[in-house]
Amino acid sequence: MKNIANDFYSAPPEHVSLQKLLDDDCLRRADGLLCQETENYINKNGGFMEEKELIVFFLDIRNFTCLLQEGNEYQAVNLLNKLFDLFGRVITGFGGRLLERSGDNLYAVFGLQTDISNAANAAHESAIMLFDLLSHVNREYYNVRFGKDLQVGVGIHAGRVIVNHSDQGSGLLAMGLAVNLAARLQLETKIVDNDLILSDDFYRLLAPEKLKDSWERLDHVQFKGIDQPQNIWLAGKPYSGVPRKKNGSDDFLYWLSIAG
């Protein structure tokens, strides 16, 4: 019997011209790259896109690479999986939607089913619980076994994003400048030595009773890839254990102390 599979895999690749590629794109998708776009296009899989104001939440596990290098990699990955399962349950418990987990970081959105103010307060509550949960894990397990604490960095922003609903994969994607900015906030936690950073847009949505005098505002912070300078709030605690000096004249002593 003729082996069709072998014939298929041994066949030389078909030459694809640029024009054929573009023509096929239009045939396969009504909103192909160079075809007329349709707003909130409903595709063949029943999905659609919409613009929506959401809370975007990014989290990253600190010093996980060190854990991989110091001990059993299987044990380390297993610990991370269990920890992220707990984090996911906290996020969904406050009405958030976990969109993606990649390695030792994740991102989620709040506000798909509620107004943006309630979503902001729920996201903040979830962040507080995540930090409390991590403290418990460190105290009862991680520090006992490894002699150190796991740390996380969290960045939260409020803004308009493009939400792509699809029946494929995770079923939901969120893209746009607001997503990029939230990711930059999370990265900034390492730079300013604070484990929770809020954008000013997010801050202004929080209920007054949630605001703390200890939070510090930094104005006109420039992020890579973001044209407009941002005002941000340091709303967590320092990784170094050394409180950040708000007086600019003490900055040198502050950075010297955390540098060791």
Side-chain angles (χ1 to χ4, degrees):
M1 180 180 292
K2 185 177 181 180
N3 191 325
I4 299 176
N6 286 342
D7 286 349
F8 175 79
Y9 287 112
S10 62
E14 180 185 0
H15 177 70
V16 178
S17 68
L18 176 60
Q19 188 58 53
K20 185 177 187 306
L21 184 67
L22 298 177
D23 291 343
D24 288 347
D25 189 43
C26 290
L27 287 173
R28 290 169 52 200
R29 298 185 299 155
D31 64 341
L33 182 62
L34 295 184
C35 300
Q36 185 175 3
E37 295 185 1
T38 304
E39 197 166 332
N40 289 346
Y41 167 66
I42 299 177
N43 64 35
K44 61 183 179 182
N45 295 314
F48 66 95
M49 292 193 300
E50 63 173 336
E51 186 177 13
K52 191 173 180 65
E53 189 172 11
L54 295 175
I55 305 301
V56 187
F57 184 111
F58 269 80
L59 178 146
D60 179 76
I61 300 284
R62 296 286 183 264
N63 50 31
F64 181 68
T65 302
C66 294
L67 175 62
L68 290 172
Q69 297 179 94
E70 291 174 0
N72 185 301
E73 288 190 17
Y74 178 87
Q75 183 183 52
V77 172
N78 188 45
L79 168 64
L80 186 66
N81 287 337
K82 291 180 178 180
L83 188 60
F84 271 14
D85 177 65
L86 291 171
F87 284 174
R89 285 154 62 184
V90 171
I91 288 170
T92 56
F94 281 95
R97 174 75 176 268
L98 187 61
L99 296 190
E100 183 177 333
R101 175 193 159 183
S102 176
D104 54 4
N105 59 78
L106 62 81
Y107 92 92
V109 294
F110 293 77
L112 290 170
Q113 304 295 334
T114 187
D115 66 86
I116 194 66
S117 294
N118 285 331
N121 287 287
H124 181 252
E125 288 292 332
S126 74
I128 292 174
M129 184 172 287
L130 285 175
F131 282 110
D132 289 343
L133 171 62
L134 186 63
S135 295
H136 179 81
V137 170
N138 281 328
R139 183 173 61 253
E140 301 296 328
Y141 174 80
Y142 191 79
N143 195 287
V144 173
R145 178 163 297 196
F146 298 100
K148 62 179 69 175
D149 287 344
L150 273 176
Q151 298 173 317
V152 300
V154 176
I156 314 179
H157 177 52
R160 299 195 69 81
V161 302
I162 303 300
V163 182
N164 186 11
H165 302 263
S166 172
D167 291 342
Q168 297 182 337
S170 64
L172 187 71
L173 290 173
M175 295 171 285
L177 183 60
V179 177
N180 294 348
L181 181 51
R184 295 291 189 271
L185 292 174
Q186 183 275 121
L187 291 172
E188 190 75 6
T189 61
K190 303 176 185 179
I191 298 172
V192 298
D193 190 41
N194 196 283
D195 59 12
L196 175 60
I197 297 184
L198 316 176
S199 72
D200 196 48
D201 291 328
F202 176 81
Y203 173 90
R204 287 187 275 108
L205 291 169
L206 292 174
E209 63 270 17
K210 296 187 182 298
L211 308 181
K212 307 296 183 184
D213 292 337
S214 59
W215 294 0
E216 180 184 358
R217 173 170 161 166
L218 300 182
D219 292 335
H220 308 299
V221 178
Q222 190 70 60
F223 294 108
K224 182 179 180 180
I226 307 293
D227 292 339
Q228 188 70 29
Q230 303 293 318
N231 299 331
I232 64 174
W233 290 86
L234 310 187
K237 61 183 183 300
Y239 297 112
S240 63
V242 180
R244 177 181 167 86
K245 300 295 185 180
K246 294 187 178 182
N247 186 337
S249 63
D250 293 327
D251 280 352
F252 175 75
L253 294 177
Y254 165 74
W255 291 115
L256 186 63
S257 65
I258 70 171

